[in-house]
Amino acid sequence: MKKNGWRGAGGLACAAAFLFATQALAQALPADLEKSWRATRLPDSSLSLVVQEIGGPRLMAMNASTPRNPASVMKMVTTWSALSGLGPDYTWRTAFHAKGGGQIDAQGSLAGPLYLKAGGDPLLTIEDLWGLLRELRLRGIKNLTEVVVDRSRFGRVSTDPGEFDGAADRPYNASPDAMMVGLGAVRLLFQPDRQARKWIPIVDPPLQGIRINGDIKWSNVACPGSPSIATQIVPAGRDIVVNVSGTAAGSCGEFSVYRLALSQPDYFSALFQMLWKELGGTLAKGLRDGKVAAGAEPVVWHESESLANTIRQINKQSNNVMARTLFLTLGAERMGEGATPQSGASATLAVLNGQRVDTRGWVLDNGAGLSREGRVTADGLAGMLDAAWRSPLMPEFISSLAISGVDGTVRRRLRNDEVKGMAHLKTGTLRDVRALAGYVLGASGKRYILVSIVNDERSAGVRAFDDALVSWLAAR
């Protein structure tokens, strides 16, 4: 019995040794990539890596099952789940309703409130809203008592824009909202007055109560690139003051920056009232939150761009608030109205688990990756990318990713002839996080899935390694 037991232990030891050797082989990097990785001086434990040939072997794997923060690579999870869960032709509807479909008197006064059913459109523009209001005016509607905005498609999803990193005025921190227009940001436009050698500031849209204070200094140097100016948003009674400072070269010409000056509901209210007034309309009581009354009928509505087109904006430009809104939309469609980040996460995981994607260890909190808590594994993400590749929706998904050296967040990377245009990628960048994932087409015609995630305080050093890895695959 002891002898058999000894043999069993020996068999286990041999199996363990074989497994270790197999793992080591899978994890080993080619010599030139090993050198590039060592040059980062990052610990091996900080990297999760998967490289596999589509329909072929896995070429590399390191810490593939370790949950890590993927930063904006999380947007791939949201966009793929929504694309496959809702369909490429899915659209968002923003609609005005009224009693009797819009009954008016001889003066153009609407009987009862005007109701606005917010659809959660991630990219409703100011021009879209203007077009909707113009349609109301074309139908003879001029005088409104009040506008009731129904945001019930989402639950309580408002966030503090300053909570993540203290930069409350930066558009990437915008809160999601079911009635978001123009991403909720104002444009600060600076026009050059060359004779006076000064900058003329303009707020666009020119919302009542928002004004610019301060001065951008004029410089005569050759344009060094996009001007960098400082802003500070300060409440001043009922007004909002945007304090600006900095220096800009006159040779750069007109430039703009975008800032969050108001909450999403306040921004929409001010914008609605400005546009309605410009169109000759009147509004007695203003706007309030509520629900569309039973029996109110649609008057005019706007259908958004298709989901397939929308995810191109999200992935190529890495738009946070659009990703958050899409995440909530999937929750609303799958779990019912009143969507929250929790229902968005449940809906997303249900879609992925239905595709047999391994989501063990994943943490989905807002769908955008602007988070310290979000987690995925390189193994699971590679599995998702493989499922996407085998789907009939593969062309729509891949076309949403940035093309190496061409557009999006990698337009200035991987621009040499051998790699330019050979990869469709999503980047992720936060403090202590760098991530890159997507597809690379090799010179042989074979295509590869790549997932690289580093979580370390010196994570910025991995960029050269990631670029070398993409180049290595493109040359295969």
Side-chain angles (χ1 to χ4, degrees), residues 140-194:
I141 298 173
K142 178 181 180 182
N143 306 310
L144 304 175
T145 54
E146 64 175 349
V147 177
V148 179
V149 183
D150 185 344
R151 291 180 162 88
S152 60
R153 184 159 176 74
F154 297 165
R156 294 187 177 182
V157 298
S158 176
T159 61
D160 175 4
E163 182 179 8
F164 181 72
D165 59 4
D169 66 343
R170 300 308 170 101
Y172 65 81
N173 277 324
S175 172
D177 190 85
M179 193 57 249
M180 179 173 65
V181 179
L183 308 179
V186 297
R187 180 171 68 129
L188 308 179
L189 171 65
F190 296 90
Q191 292 184 328
D193 183 337
R194 301 188 185 283

Side-chain angles (χ1 to χ4, degrees), residues 100-121:
Q103 297 175 357
I104 57 174
D105 62 16
Q107 287 72 45
S109 299
L110 183 69
L114 177 68
Y115 297 95
L116 174 55
K117 178 61 177 176
D121 188 340

Side-chain angles (χ1 to χ4, degrees), residues 32 39 66 69 72 179 201 228 241 275 361 364 370 378 405 462:
D32 46 352
T66 302
N69 188 335
S72 283
M179 193 57 249
S228 177
V241 176
L275 294 177
L364 310 181
L370 194 69
V462 79

